[in-house]
Amino acid sequence: MATDLSVVNAARVSFARRKEELDDADAGLIRFLMREEHMTPFEHNAFRFHIRCPIFVAREWFRHRIGSFNEFSMRYARATDDFYVPEPEDVRSQVGKPGSYSFEPVDPELAETTREELRRVYEDAYATYERLVEQGVARELARSVLPVGAYTEFYWTVNARSLMNFLRLRNAETAQREIRRYADACERFLEELMPITYAAFAEYGRSG
Ligand SMILES: Cc1cc2nc3c(=O)[nH]c(=O)nc-3n(C[C@H](O)[C@H](O)[C@H](O)COP(=O)(O)OP(=O)(O)OC[C@H]3O[C@@H](n4cnc5c(N)ncnc54)[C@H](O)[C@@H]3O)c2cc1C
């Protein structure tokens, strides 16, 4: 359902017109809509993503209210022992003030220590989780010991307008690196499936 044609037909229904194929005038129309922020024609389409990410990334993601989510449940299913360990080059320091932080690489020794500390906590947390579940504690309660680096998975269905809002905010310098990588992957789907919309977004929509 994610096509540039859906944008054009949503806009042209005002004049009771419908196209089967895009032409240059339609590309101009999409650019016009984006430039003038007539955004509702970008809502008549849908992308469905199946995401697997750490819980701390999902928490940021779920703040995007315009869209639909269904997530893996640690009440109904046993938690997995999958946890996020950053690559050494992604272990970073945080310098500056909120809103204008810069993130600098740390020395290789600290990067490795951080990864080891994370692994140690994850292993300990997961062993505690398993022990509690084995002893009969409900999964919905035992999960309290699991850190936000644990992986979760969910479906996210979203229209192009809301997706572009997500990309503007989350595939940006100011976004956390981990969610930014996911946003960048989502952006490739918009580019592939709605290339004219994507070009207009890059030109006019990204700055918001
Ligand atoms: C870099 C960064 C830092 C952040 N830091 C924090 C933080 O410290 N604390 C925190 O709580 N959040 C934080 N957020 C989350 C942020 O406040 C938003 O909740 C999140 O980015 C979702 O954006 P959104 O509301 O535009 O998206 P959506 O919820 O998808 O909404 C899309 C658009 O719909 C409209 N809309 C949706 N709901 C309403 C409504 N109730 N009333 C009016 N209009 C509505 C708005 O135009 C909105 O832009 C941060 C986000 C970013 C990108």
Side-chain angles (χ1 to χ4, degrees):
M1 284 178 69
T3 62
D4 286 320
L5 198 57
S6 69
V7 180
V8 167
N9 281 331
R12 293 205 193 280
V13 76
S14 307
F15 305 97
R17 290 186 56 202
R18 179 180 162 76
K19 305 281 280 279
E20 294 297 331
E21 277 186 32
L22 286 171
D23 58 28
D24 288 349
D26 297 324
L29 174 61
I30 289 176
R31 285 163 50 86
F32 166 82
L33 293 169
M34 188 78 73
R35 194 184 66 226
E36 300 301 318
E37 296 181 60
H38 295 308
M39 296 304 286
T40 49
F42 296 97
E43 296 173 10
H44 300 278
N45 52 70
F47 292 78
R48 186 183 64 213
F49 296 98
H50 185 180
I51 312 287
R52 193 173 156 279
C53 67
I55 289 172
F56 70 85
V57 171
R59 282 205 59 177
E60 294 187 345
W61 210 309
F62 293 171
R63 298 303 309 279
H64 293 261
R65 294 158 289 181
I66 312 300
S68 302
F69 294 92
N70 277 93
E71 189 187 10
F72 169 72
S73 169
M74 285 195 217
R75 289 189 72 199
Y76 304 131
R78 203 176 177 113
T80 65
D81 61 348
D82 259 351
F83 295 93
Y84 173 66
V85 179
E87 294 300 318
E89 60 274 20
D90 287 327
V91 180
R92 53 206 185 259
S93 68
Q94 181 171 351
V95 197
K97 294 186 188 152
S100 60
Y101 288 125
S102 71
F103 297 91
E104 311 296 340
V106 298
D107 66 67
E109 202 177 321
L110 178 56
E112 214 34 64
T113 307
T114 305
R115 283 155 51 84
E116 279 163 21
E117 293 274 23
L118 282 170
R119 284 197 200 97
R120 185 180 56 74
V121 170
Y122 291 155
E123 272 170 31
D124 195 30
Y126 194 72
T128 307
Y129 170 80
E130 287 212 298
R131 201 164 52 245
L132 291 175
V133 171
E134 290 308 318
Q135 287 168 356
V137 175
R139 286 188 292 258
E140 66 181 18
L141 187 60
R143 65 177 168 177
S144 314
V145 300
L146 296 175
V148 293
Y151 274 89
T152 184
E153 67 175 277
F154 60 90
Y155 282 101
W156 181 45
T157 299
V158 65
N159 64 45
R161 180 184 186 178
S162 186
L163 176 61
M164 288 188 283
N165 184 54
F166 173 82
L167 299 177
R168 187 173 65 74
L169 294 166
R170 301 298 185 178
N171 194 5
E173 286 280 326
T174 46
Q176 176 159 349
R177 187 176 302 180
E178 281 77 11
I179 196 168
R180 188 175 180 185
R181 292 209 174 114
Y182 285 89
D184 190 50
C186 293
E187 186 159 332
R188 302 284 70 83
F189 286 96
L190 177 69
E191 183 178 24
E192 186 184 321
L193 295 169
M194 299 178 69
I196 300 171
T197 297
Y198 181 70
F201 168 65
E203 193 169 358
Y204 303 115
R206 175 142 250 152
S207 52

